[in-house]
Amino acid sequence: MPHSKMEWAPMDTMKSLRWFVRAVELGSLSAVAREAGTTQPTVSKAIAALEAELGVRLLARTTASLSPTTEGQRFHARAQALLADYGEAVRDVLGQQAAMRGLLRVNAPAALGQFHLNALVLEFLAAHAGMEIELILNDRMVDLVEEGVDVALRLGGPLPPDAVARHVAASPRWLVAAPAYLDRYRAPATPHDLARHNHVRFAWLAQGDDVTLTDGQDVVTVTTTSRYRVNHALAIRDSLAMGAGIGLCPAWLVQDLLAAGTLRRVLPRWRGETQQLHLLYPGRRYQPARARAFADFVGARLAALPGFEAASVLRPIPP
């Protein structure tokens, strides 16, 4: 790539570079257009102009797919580096506050979002007047690149192989029930006694009605009966508080109810598998300063909440 041409590139060339890089990452000009708030023909025309300026074909297009050519693959790596350097230069000239502007798309589990993250997002927005945040709450594993997500939070479960993950905190999982339930039905004395109790659990658990517990030495798996299964953690929390049965819940979800006496630990020597909290980023080299700042803020604040234990080693956010 001729440095003299790119070092003094006009803004339309920089925009074409960004769209080319995102086209390779998303695999679709339409996806780039949606992300940029423009039309697919506009994106296609800009990238075609970039190809004409360079005198090489960067993208191989068919009606069903889009992929970089051999030259496009080489150019993509250099363009990524150039855009990252340009972004750093802009932040250096304008200052950090100028970098804290624009839209940030955040994805998180529904219960965590409603219970904790919503308030933290509002606090972050109050401190950064130039920021906008779209908070998308659902419990499915989204494709961060395809859906344009800048930062995602994940509780437990396998992580996507193409995402960059940062371990933030962990939450122990405890058996809990309402005192009224435990007064009505004799509290279990051993893990095997759980088989005769109502087990309120999350719907679609891979292990079904099996509950696996450990006391730090022994591991026991008990098959329970679940007459009520629900796909929302806050509904499970409410149901347990109303005396619906016994549930295996992460501490962050029930810590306040335990402190208030609304719920009580069951078999306190035993616990389930610890629930891990991760921050995820799209698998690309450059992360906007606003995404890094938000991730630092929310990661530290969540790790300090009751029911969470901070990760022993926090990996830095990739530049």
Side-chain angles (χ1 to χ4, degrees), residues 112-132:
L112 182 67
Q114 289 178 241
F115 200 41
H116 288 305
L117 189 60
N118 187 55
L120 295 180
V121 168
L122 294 177
E123 182 181 344
F124 185 81
L125 286 174
H128 302 286
M131 289 283 300
E132 301 173 31

Side-chain angles (χ1 to χ4, degrees), residues 1-30:
M1 183 174 64
H3 286 279
S4 59
K5 180 175 290 187
M6 300 311 298
E7 286 174 354
W8 300 99
M11 291 309 296
D12 59 344
T13 301
M14 296 301 294
K15 180 165 61 178
S16 298
L17 279 175
R18 290 192 188 94
W19 288 354
F20 163 71
V21 167
R22 294 300 284 144
V24 173
E25 293 169 347
L26 298 176
S28 165
L29 295 182
S30 297

Side-chain angles (χ1 to χ4, degrees), residues 68-144:
T69 63
T70 300
E71 293 81 4
Q73 290 176 337
R74 293 170 54 197
F75 187 70
H76 175 259
R78 299 291 296 273
Q80 276 188 314
L82 178 63
L83 290 172
D85 290 343
Y86 175 75
E88 291 296 331
V90 170
R91 285 189 291 276
D92 183 60
V93 170
L94 299 182
Q96 181 65 21
Q97 189 58 37
M100 298 301 294
R101 296 183 179 277
L103 173 64
L104 198 65
R105 288 176 56 83
V106 180
N107 178 257
L112 182 67
Q114 289 178 241
F115 200 41
H116 288 305
L117 189 60
N118 187 55
L120 295 180
V121 168
L122 294 177
E123 182 181 344
F124 185 81
L125 286 174
H128 302 286
M131 289 283 300
E132 301 173 31
I133 292 181
E134 287 185 6
L135 179 60
I136 300 98
L137 301 179
N138 53 47
D139 294 312
R140 65 185 179 87
M141 185 65 74
V142 301
D143 185 316
L144 276 62

